[in-house]
Amino acid sequence: MNLEKPNEIVELVVYTVKPEMNSVYVNTAIEKFRKLVMGFEGFISYEFYQSSRSKNVFMDFVRWESLEFAEEAAKQVKILQKAPEYKEYLDSFASLEIFNHFYQVKAWS
């Protein structure tokens, strides 16, 4: 196995927000949360996607320098997102479908 970036980890999160919270989530809540995540050690990039079939389904694609950084950030997020400034973010969620970490095996372009 020839890995181009052997330690880099991709965090994939797929979730649904409540229909009544969609606008708040897209326009304000995700921005506050993104800024929080971008401040963690080992952060590389954050991409935010909306489903082409359901406007309430989203995907976060976050790249980390290593699994250790990704897991430490996840622990910190669980604690910090309970703060009052992230209430809109937490209140927006209806369900979480996927939260997992992946490493690259191969890449084609």
Side-chain angles (χ1 to χ4, degrees):
M1 186 172 4
N2 183 11
L3 301 178
E4 292 177 27
K5 299 173 185 171
N7 295 321
E8 189 174 300
I9 289 292
V10 170
E11 181 176 277
L12 181 67
V13 187
V14 179
Y15 52 95
T16 303
V17 298
K18 298 171 187 169
E20 66 274 15
M21 295 297 289
N22 186 292
S23 181
V24 169
Y25 186 78
V26 170
N27 294 311
T28 59
I30 190 63
E31 281 301 313
K32 286 181 188 175
F33 184 73
R34 178 188 61 80
K35 288 176 183 173
L36 170 70
V37 171
M38 290 176 71
F40 287 114
E41 186 176 4
F43 171 83
I44 297 172
S45 68
Y46 193 125
E47 297 176 33
F48 176 55
Y49 296 86
Q50 186 173 31
S51 171
S52 60
R53 294 200 170 106
S54 174
K55 72 177 190 165
N56 296 318
V57 175
F58 296 92
M59 178 181 80
D60 295 346
F61 186 88
V62 185
R63 291 175 48 228
W64 297 95
E65 291 178 11
S66 71
L67 181 58
E68 292 75 24
F69 285 132
E71 289 178 337
E72 181 58 30
K75 285 180 197 173
Q76 293 301 313
V77 163
K78 281 186 178 186
I79 296 165
L80 294 171
Q81 70 185 5
K82 294 176 184 174
E85 61 265 30
Y86 299 107
K87 183 173 176 21
E88 285 181 330
Y89 175 78
L90 280 184
D91 287 350
S92 297
F93 285 91
S95 64
L96 175 67
E97 282 80 37
I98 297 171
F99 179 91
N100 209 330
H101 295 106
F102 300 86
Y103 62 87
Q104 183 183 70
V105 176
K106 293 185 186 251
W108 297 269
S109 51

